[in-house]
Amino acid sequence: MILVVVEHDRGTMSPATWEALAAANKLGETHALTIGKAADGLVEQIGVFGATTVHQVDDDVLVDYGPEAWGAVVAQAATSLSPSIVMATGTDRGNEVMAHAAALLDLPMVANVIEFADDELIRVRWGGSLLERCSLDAPIRLITLAHHAFPAVESPVTAVASPLWVELDPGLGRTIIRERVERAAGVTLSTAPVVVSGGRGVGSADGFAPLQELATTLGGVVGCSRAVTNLGWRNHTDQVGQTGTRIAPDIYIACGISGAIQHWVGAMASKKILAINTDPEANMVTKADYAVIGDLHQVVPAITAEIQRRRG
């Protein structure tokens, strides 16, 4: 049996969990683990992706997300249910929770798996610059899946809810989320179909205005490189990259971005990449599906104008 940890935010399931459930369903009988009362209503949605049983853990400590408490739940669930694999999303939360569970269980963990090859695993290492084939020798294999590596294929079944008792130390509530600051509604970097990003080559904070116009015209959002956030031109929440947001839009338009490996890791799941840069040897240009060698201050407004002209 494979146990998938359901990542959710106050009862809203992360799309990354759909991928994890679909991947697990190809390997064998799939069960799911929900944490917190807010997730009790997810049974039917979980069943859409092939999980036959949903183990539900409710506790007064679990009023919101907390890495220590969630890790303790996963560890106790693994002990009582004895799955062959415990699988979670390769998001920040998924990796964090599984790391806590692995420490409590004293078991090894393999993160960012992109493929199952017989009895071996293929995972991303070194910020996406290396693929490693490895084996995991453990009584319970703890795995997280790289985001966007597996398609969220539906395999509908009628899932059954099964309450699972765990014992949590109230002290674990010290790292539970207590307060949130909500961002404006709408598409985000992680969900946008189009992302237009700028790097150091944009030149200034004001230089992002044409990029914003292009993104708005295409129904997308603006992103940036780490260099831009370091310079204070954009907020860190706009950063695409290994230490920012990993994206998977239909098209990623990278303007004046050299394409350091950390940035590439965050953008490589994009279906198509268009690079606009004056340097034909820039890493982003050589890896992109399409490239325009030219001054972004001329190219970006020209693209926007042409799109608007064709739309009338």
Side-chain angles (χ1 to χ4, degrees):
M1 181 264 285
I2 301 164
L3 183 65
V4 175
V5 181
V6 174
E7 180 179 331
H8 69 94
D9 183 11
R10 295 162 289 176
T12 299
M13 188 159 65
S14 166
T17 300
W18 306 342
E19 300 170 10
L21 289 167
N25 195 44
K26 291 184 177 181
L27 299 177
E29 180 185 357
T30 302
H31 289 201
L33 173 67
T34 60
I35 302 174
K37 191 172 184 61
D40 286 353
L42 295 176
V43 176
E44 183 176 350
Q45 187 177 354
I46 291 169
V48 170
F49 295 92
T52 58
T53 304
V54 181
H55 303 280
Q56 298 175 326
V57 175
D58 296 341
D59 190 277
D60 291 341
V61 176
L62 303 171
V63 293
D64 207 324
Y65 171 73
E68 288 184 286
W70 280 45
V73 170
V74 173
Q76 292 187 43
T79 301
S80 61
L81 299 174
S82 298
S84 59
I85 298 173
V86 179
M87 188 181 295
T89 62
T91 60
D92 291 343
R93 284 191 178 186
N95 284 323
E96 184 177 47
V97 169
M98 288 294 276
H100 277 279
L104 292 170
L105 293 167
D106 195 23
L107 290 175
M109 163 195 159
V110 173
N112 298 319
V113 171
I114 64 168
E115 185 179 341
F116 296 92
D118 298 324
D119 290 332
E120 293 184 316
L121 305 169
I122 297 177
R123 64 171 174 171
V124 177
R125 295 293 305 276
W126 297 104
S129 62
L130 172 69
L131 296 182
E132 178 185 76
R133 182 183 291 266
C134 65
S135 58
L136 179 56
D137 184 12
I140 300 176
R141 296 195 291 173
L142 306 180
I143 295 169
T144 66
L145 303 181
H147 201 12
H148 306 305
F150 296 88
V153 179
E154 297 183 4
S155 302
V157 297
T158 302
V160 177
S162 176
L164 180 66
W165 183 85
V166 300
E167 185 174 0
L168 297 179
D169 183 340
L172 296 175
R174 64 195 168 201
T175 52
I176 295 290
I177 292 176
R178 299 296 180 191
E179 184 179 0
R180 296 170 182 267
V181 177
E182 298 291 346
R183 299 188 67 186
V187 293
T188 64
L189 271 181
S190 60
T191 63
V194 177
V195 176
V196 181
S197 272
R200 193 189 301 270
V202 173
S204 67
D206 292 340
F208 274 84
L211 277 65
Q212 182 65 65
E213 184 180 8
L214 176 58
T216 301
T217 300
L218 294 172
V221 298
V222 171
C224 66
S225 66
R226 182 172 180 175
V228 168
T229 64
N230 288 344
L231 289 166
W233 297 347
R234 305 284 297 189
N235 192 286
H236 173 72
T237 55
D238 294 337
Q239 182 188 328
V240 174
Q242 187 176 11
T243 56
T245 299
R246 299 193 183 200
I247 61 173
D250 294 330
I251 185 166
Y252 179 53
I253 304 175
C255 308
I257 297 175
S258 61
I261 186 62
Q262 291 85 357
H263 186 83
W264 179 254
V265 169
M268 64 183 182
S270 305
K271 294 181 177 64
K272 296 293 181 182
I273 296 177
L274 166 62
I276 302 172
N277 205 300
T278 56
D279 181 5
E281 302 301 322
N283 188 51
M284 184 61 72
V285 172
T286 59
K287 289 185 175 182
D289 299 284
Y290 311 100
V292 177
I293 307 304
D295 184 347
L296 70 90
H297 301 289
Q298 298 175 4
V299 175
V300 172
I303 293 174
T304 303
E306 180 62 18
I307 293 171
Q308 294 172 345
R309 184 189 69 79
R310 295 193 179 193
R311 289 179 177 176

